[in-house]
Amino acid sequence: MFRIEGDYLVVDSDFKPRKVTGRSFVSLVGLNPFQKEGDALLTMHKLVKEEVDPKWLKRGDFAEALVKAVYERDGHKCTVYDKKEVNYDNFTEYGNFGGLIDIELLEEKTLIEVKSKSLDKYDAIKENPPREEVYQGLFYGFLRKYDRITMEWVFFDPITEDEVFKGKKVTTLRYLKKISKKYDVDKAHMRDMLCLANQINKDFEETHKIRLSLVSDKMLKQLGLSRPSGFDFSELNF
């Protein structure tokens, strides 16, 4: 199914075209320090299985519910979408882009992207919010044609978060912190970024090839392959 041919990783089997989502978008345009472009292509096309700790999913669901409750308490009308009802895609009008909005404020023409973190990340994110996460929110804001989006980071104390998930009212809010930041959507800039991500995705779907420089050693190992000896492709950007 996978083989190395020259400077490329080649996928011999057929696969379905996939939309670029907010998560894959930031990786394809080189904004995600935790995932290389080639790894994102393989993952988004379901050519490799991505393992996700159920704990992070549970934490994310709780964070979204918490943010929604806070906004509704403050008088905002929030819309959330059932993942299965919308088939994990709020953007069926687009052929090449999609994904799921966390919380939408339809009357205010804006949306909220929610991220969940461990409490020890609070100071670092307060000082320097992760660019790859901000751009996920901007991606969805651009697709919705909104001028501004809000990022919400919710922080959990890893020692006590199991109590939070069990719904113990006494501890639910005691061990949480939250950061809220608004960002303007630079539509011209985002249009260029989306065009780049789409081109990278379409090139892969047409050629079934990815430059080895864009694939991590960890991914190659998962595929049962190794990088050719004698050359270090990790720093190449072309």
Side-chain angles (χ1 to χ4, degrees):
M1 184 175 182
F2 302 100
R3 59 186 170 86
I4 292 176
E5 183 180 281
D7 294 343
Y8 290 89
L9 172 68
V10 180
V11 181
D12 287 323
S13 59
D14 291 331
F15 52 86
K16 295 180 180 180
R18 298 283 179 180
K19 287 185 172 185
V20 175
T21 65
R23 188 177 180 204
S24 56
F25 162 71
V26 295
S27 295
L28 293 180
V29 298
L31 293 175
N32 188 355
F34 304 106
Q35 186 180 50
K36 300 199 74 169
E37 296 93 316
D39 294 16
L41 287 168
L42 294 169
T43 300
M44 66 181 280
H45 287 88
K46 301 187 183 302
L47 294 168
V48 295
K49 185 176 181 181
E50 186 176 27
E51 299 293 340
V52 180
D53 190 331
K55 180 178 181 179
W56 309 141
L57 299 176
K58 196 171 185 181
R59 179 193 276 180
D61 289 343
F62 189 92
E64 290 176 20
L66 174 69
V67 170
K68 178 176 179 289
V70 170
Y71 272 75
E72 289 179 337
R73 180 200 64 190
D74 294 340
H76 300 277
K77 186 175 180 180
C78 299
T79 299
V80 296
Y81 300 92
D82 183 280
K83 297 178 176 67
K84 293 183 179 179
E85 286 186 4
V86 299
N87 197 25
Y88 293 85
D89 190 5
N90 286 123
F91 304 95
T92 55
E93 68 272 28
Y94 294 98
N96 299 325
F97 304 103
L100 193 67
I101 293 171
D102 290 337
I103 302 171
E104 193 162 17
L105 307 180
L106 292 168
E107 294 179 354
E108 301 173 46
K109 295 184 178 181
T110 189
L111 59 82
I112 303 166
E113 179 75 8
V114 182
K115 298 298 179 185
S116 59
K117 300 289 182 181
S118 293
L119 193 59
D120 58 5
K121 301 291 195 301
Y122 178 81
D123 290 335
I125 289 178
K126 185 176 182 180
E127 181 177 346
N128 187 25
R131 187 171 61 160
E132 70 276 9
E133 296 180 354
V134 173
Y135 267 85
Q136 287 183 45
L138 293 172
F139 173 87
Y140 293 126
F142 175 80
L143 293 181
R144 265 305 195 244
K145 299 180 172 62
Y146 290 153
D147 295 324
R148 175 175 287 192
I149 60 106
T150 300
M151 294 295 303
E152 294 281 354
W153 287 273
V154 179
F155 299 84
F156 294 87
D157 184 340
I159 297 175
T160 58
E161 67 178 350
D162 286 341
E163 294 183 45
V164 173
F165 294 145
K166 291 176 183 176
K168 294 185 179 180
K169 295 181 181 179
V170 175
T171 61
T172 297
L173 295 178
R174 184 182 301 171
Y175 302 106
L176 296 177
K177 287 187 177 182
K178 187 169 74 69
I179 294 174
S180 177
K181 288 182 177 288
K182 296 184 183 298
Y183 293 88
D184 292 330
V185 180
D186 184 335
K187 295 181 179 178
H189 173 61
M190 291 304 299
R191 185 178 298 108
D192 290 343
M193 298 282 274
L194 266 71
C195 286
L196 173 60
N198 184 55
Q199 188 60 55
I200 292 171
N201 186 36
K202 292 303 178 187
D203 285 348
F204 173 57
E205 291 178 347
E206 291 174 6
T207 67
H208 288 211
K209 293 182 178 181
I210 307 172
R211 280 194 175 273
L212 279 176
S213 60
L214 303 180
V215 183
S216 69
D217 288 335
K218 181 179 179 180
M219 179 61 74
L220 288 177
K221 183 177 180 180
Q222 185 175 342
L223 300 178
L225 301 171
S226 58
R227 200 177 301 278
S229 60
F231 296 92
D232 180 7
F233 295 99
S234 61
E235 300 301 323
L236 295 179
N237 295 312
F238 56 87

